[in-house]
Amino acid sequence: DADVTQTPRNRITKTGKRIMLECSQTKGHDRMYWYRQDPGLGLRLIYYSFDVKDINKGEISDGYSVSRQAQAKFSLSLESAIPNQTALYFCATSGELASGGATDTQYFGPGTRLTVL
Amino acid sequence: GESVGLHLPTLSVQEGDNSIINCAYSNSASDYFIWYKQESGKGPQFIIDIRSNMDKRQGQRVTVLLNKTVKHLSLQIAATQPGDSAVYFCAENSGGSNYKLTFGKGTLLTVNP
């Protein structure tokens, strides 16, 4: 969905390096999420934010941190990357629109493929 | 593209046939359900949703059925096309206003021409 963008799309890094993945959205949503996807495990929630001053841990937050710089921007950091953080990372958004409408539906970005060597 | 379908249940159909993909959910308090489609190398794409006060909802070529008695959700795709080949997974909002979704692991649909 072009309304949710992620950078970079692919990244190869080495163990111990600090990595930041960025997400921007133009949907006007207030809620943003970071997931990782591994083969056979489905999507697992890392962190989520319901507004700029609200940050919550998901089910697998260890080794990750996030920053909600603005309503439209939510970044995910790996302070010291390790090989088992190799995965696909997705950002998603949801929320009430100014014109009213769906709330729970989450819309995903195209993903970042991260490889930690 | 990225292989996100390893070790997933698979469904193989012929082009033009109808496809039915199933999902069992675990939380009887879940009140909202979504089906997503994920093509290789792409992010999950919203297909259709349904709230727990309904048992059927139709979209373009897709129908979602909800059976709350047995906690079962299905996605029916009519006249399946090669472009429908993807991983399909369901998601549930486990009730309340927390707006968090729990995702199933997915089913890989392959459409043979």
Side-chain angles (χ1 to χ4, degrees), chain A residues 33 37 50 104-106, chain B residues 2 32 36 38 93 98-99:
Chain A
Y33 309 79
Q37 186 177 49
F50 285 170
D104 299 356
T105 305
Q106 293 185 20
Chain B
E2 178 68 21
Y32 179 63
Y36 286 93
Q38 187 175 21
N93 177 333
N98 59 10
Y99 304 110

Side-chain angles (χ1 to χ4, degrees), chain A residues 12-31:
Chain A
I12 299 174
T13 191
K14 295 182 178 179
T15 297
K17 294 292 187 180
R18 184 178 187 274
I19 297 296
M20 179 180 286
L21 310 182
E22 301 195 22
C23 176
S24 295
Q25 52 111 349
T26 58
K27 299 184 81 68
H29 287 166
D30 51 359
R31 303 180 193 105

Side-chain angles (χ1 to χ4, degrees), chain A residues 9 31 33 35 37 39-43 45 48 50 88 90 94 96 103-111 113, chain B residues 1-4 6 8 31-32 34 36 38 41-44 46 49 51 89 93 98-101 103-105:
Chain A
R9 293 296 313 279
R31 303 180 193 105
Y33 309 79
Y35 293 91
Q37 186 177 49
L41 293 180
L43 287 161
L45 183 63
Y48 61 102
F50 285 170
L88 269 174
F90 289 102
S94 72
E96 296 181 18
T103 57
D104 299 356
T105 305
Q106 293 185 20
Y107 298 90
F108 287 81
R113 184 192 306 187
Chain B
E2 178 68 21
S3 294
V4 297
L6 295 178
L8 293 176
D31 58 5
Y32 179 63
I34 308 172
Y36 286 93
Q38 187 175 21
K42 297 183 178 181
F46 171 86
D49 59 359
R51 296 213 172 265
F89 53 90
N93 177 333
N98 59 10
Y99 304 110
K100 290 195 297 178
L101 298 176
F103 295 85
K105 293 179 175 55

Side-chain angles (χ1 to χ4, degrees), chain B residues 68-84:
Chain B
K68 295 181 287 294
T69 301
V70 295
K71 294 188 287 187
H72 183 267
L73 195 65
S74 68
L75 177 70
Q76 300 179 0
I77 304 174
T80 315
Q81 303 168 1
D84 294 327

Side-chain angles (χ1 to χ4, degrees), chain A residues 11-21 63-65 76-86 89 114-117:
Chain A
R11 182 72 184 268
I12 299 174
T13 191
K14 295 182 178 179
T15 297
K17 294 292 187 180
R18 184 178 187 274
I19 297 296
M20 179 180 286
L21 310 182
Y64 301 95
S65 63
L76 176 72
S77 294
L78 287 68
E79 296 300 326
S80 180
I82 55 177
N84 76 1
Q85 292 178 311
T86 293
Y89 289 86
L114 177 66
T115 302
V116 183
L117 303 176

